[in-house]
Amino acid sequence: MILVCGGAGYIGSHMVRYLREKNKEVLVVDNLRTGHRESVPEDVPLYVGDVRDMSFLKRVFSNNQIDGVIHFCAHSLVAESMEDPLRYYDNNVGGAISLLSVMRDFKVPNIIFSSTAATYGEPKTVPITEDLETVPTNPYGETKLAMEKMFKWADVAYGIHYVALRYFNVAGAYKTGKIGEDHNPETHLIPLLLQVPLGKRKEAYIFGTDYPTSDGTCVRDYIHVMDIVDAHVKALDYLEKGNPSNTFNLGTGQGFSVKEIVDMTGQVTGKPLPTILKERRAGDPAVLVADNKKAKEMLGWEPKHSNIEKMIASAWLWHKNHSEGYYEQEEILCSFKWKRRQTENL
Ligand code: NAD
Ligand code: UDP
């Protein structure tokens, strides 16, 4: 049985679907702070609680035979982390401390967890290889780096093996368009751009036009959420075969500027986007592009869904059918007094 912590969130809910497609037994722990109960399939047990709550976690581990853990729980808004860093250390590092403690007590051998390109800060060279210096420019990135280091020492002391996956910019949605990204507030570029053709925003904002890039806007490496979750399955397999703990970048190796993404979103939706040029957003590095050779070679991973136009189209399929995200779905359920998705009691 695989425990997916944060399995009601954006990436976690895609992870759960993908594991079920592969006939893996899965259970979810989520406190639903940014996740949505309706994103978890009915046939997957959902335990609503906080990973920092060790007695809750112990009950989950006692009631289930857990063989491996995939950990997505975190606060992950850069700007918010600048305003309230202790909240970020508490949730991100605190959550990992209690999860690792319980894994140690229950002798669960393997964990895959979400790290981020934000651990690199402003990279000295691009594409970014995993051995590059890690100097985060914000508390969010610092908490993820602290987690990586803590996992390393937990491996040395307790033999819990880990894979840290440093995601670049995750985008897109599940092929059916039934689950997707639903953050409130939304800060990510692609879902924000899609709010323009949905009529929820008048213009797209471009943060900074004086970066040292070909068109002056920031360059990022966008990777489809299904390629991200596929890497987790391969990482778990890698550990189960007895390979040592490791850290991998997850990106395509190709960068797109904000202006290019704006243009492509206009093409995909058939509605060119009016834009407003804004000041730089604090803490944004100019270019973040992954060198993904290590994941390709050692995990046998290959991004298959990350063509940029198809990725925007897949996000668009979700957003145009769920302009209010899961909220709409939950409202409909409530108004018809249908049964809401069941959760597990402990
Ligand atoms: P998300 O907010 O949609 O998902 C996180 C889930 O974890 C949510 O369902 C939330 O309710 C749950 N959660 C948070 N803290 C918890 C706690 N203490 N106890 C129980 N549940 C808790 O975020 P996401 O976009 O799916 O990101 C998942 C992970 O990937 C995060 O760790 C994030 O830092 C990392 N990441 C995301 C991106 C991206 O582009 N989305 C990029 C790099 C890294
Ligand atoms: N961005 C932008 N307008 C927006 C949102 C984001 O220009 O409305 C830019 C942002 O400054 C960054 C890039 O788009 O350079 C990607 O931002 P996002 O928040 O999606 O991901 P990040 O790279 O911060 O993880």
Side-chain angles (χ1 to χ4, degrees):
M1 188 86 112
I2 298 169
L3 168 62
V4 181
C5 296
Y10 166 45
I11 304 171
S13 59
H14 290 76
M15 184 79 250
V16 168
R17 288 285 187 306
Y18 193 59
L19 289 167
R20 291 299 298 127
E21 275 177 19
K22 294 189 170 298
N23 291 320
K24 305 265 191 206
E25 289 298 313
V26 189
L27 65 142
V28 168
V29 159
D30 202 297
N31 65 4
L32 301 178
R33 290 294 292 274
T34 53
H36 307 271
R37 74 173 68 225
E38 306 306 338
S39 73
V40 182
E42 277 291 343
D43 66 347
V44 171
L46 167 61
Y47 292 88
V48 177
D50 200 297
V51 287
R52 287 165 295 182
D53 178 348
M54 230 185 275
S55 64
F56 159 73
L57 270 191
K58 281 182 180 162
R59 293 197 299 280
V60 173
F61 278 69
S62 301
N63 287 8
N64 297 280
Q65 174 58 49
I66 294 170
D67 306 305
V69 177
I70 304 183
H71 181 47
F72 294 101
C73 299
H75 291 325
S76 47
L77 301 181
V78 168
E80 190 181 68
S81 79
M82 300 286 282
E83 281 160 24
D84 197 353
L86 295 183
R87 183 163 174 265
Y88 273 64
Y89 277 89
D90 177 31
N91 198 43
N92 300 0
V93 180
I97 292 174
S98 85
L99 183 56
L100 282 171
S101 309
V102 177
M103 285 179 69
R104 176 199 55 202
D105 295 350
F106 283 80
K107 301 190 171 28
V108 178
N110 298 325
I111 180 164
I112 314 299
F113 77 98
S114 319
S115 189
T116 167
T119 51
Y120 295 108
E122 186 80 58
K124 290 208 174 94
T125 54
V126 276
I128 302 169
T129 49
E130 287 83 351
D131 54 5
L132 216 66
E133 216 184 357
T134 42
V135 191
T137 51
N138 54 64
Y140 164 62
E142 286 287 6
T143 61
K144 290 284 178 169
L145 191 58
M147 285 168 71
E148 287 191 7
K149 291 181 177 167
M150 190 167 70
F151 277 84
K152 182 182 108 180
W153 293 114
D155 183 357
V156 173
Y158 319 124
I160 300 172
H161 303 303
Y162 71 91
V163 167
L165 295 173
R166 293 179 178 161
Y167 316 157
F168 281 63
N169 289 60
V170 188
Y174 195 64
K175 58 192 172 204
T176 57
K178 295 256 166 65
I179 56 168
E181 189 165 5
D182 178 8
H183 292 133
N184 188 12
E186 188 52 78
T187 59
H188 288 140
L189 179 65
I190 293 174
L192 279 175
L193 296 181
L194 291 172
Q195 289 182 2
V196 178
L198 283 174
K200 297 177 78 180
R201 288 167 75 91
K202 282 205 181 72
E203 299 99 358
Y205 292 167
I206 295 180
F207 295 136
T209 50
D210 58 350
Y211 285 97
T213 60
S214 58
D215 63 18
T217 66
C218 285
V219 170
R220 293 289 181 272
D221 181 341
Y222 295 87
I223 175 90
H224 196 287
V225 64
M226 295 312 293
D227 284 328
I228 289 281
V229 299
D230 180 50
H232 289 67
V233 172
K234 292 189 159 70
L236 206 47
D237 195 38
Y238 162 93
L239 288 183
E240 281 166 1
K241 284 184 179 141
N243 290 302
S245 296
N246 218 326
T247 302
F248 298 97
N249 285 338
L250 295 182
T252 62
Q254 200 184 352
F256 291 93
S257 73
V258 173
K259 275 192 180 154
E260 285 173 323
I261 299 292
V262 169
D263 289 346
M264 265 177 234
T265 304
Q267 282 168 32
V268 167
T269 59
K271 296 172 193 172
L273 270 53
T275 52
I276 297 191
L277 306 181
K278 295 270 194 186
E279 291 296 301
R280 288 182 177 202
R281 200 175 64 175
D284 275 343
V287 181
L288 290 175
V289 176
D291 182 319
N292 62 11
K293 276 193 211 76
K294 190 175 169 189
K296 282 182 170 174
E297 284 171 15
M298 296 187 73
L299 298 178
W301 175 73
E302 187 70 49
K304 292 192 181 110
H305 304 277
S306 297
N307 166 288
I308 192 71
E309 281 176 67
K310 286 190 183 152
M311 199 155 31
I312 296 172
S314 104
W316 179 228
L317 180 65
W318 152 254
H319 286 288
K320 76 178 169 199
N321 292 320
H322 302 85
S323 60
E324 300 302 325
Y326 292 103
Y327 175 73
E328 208 167 53
Q329 233 162 302
E330 287 167 14
E331 281 291 285
I332 293 168
L333 285 175
C334 292
S335 62
F336 283 98
K337 297 197 169 47
W338 287 342
K339 211 170 69 177
R340 299 189 68 167
R341 199 219 170 284
Q342 294 293 296
T343 56
E344 304 299 314
N345 293 315
L346 286 166

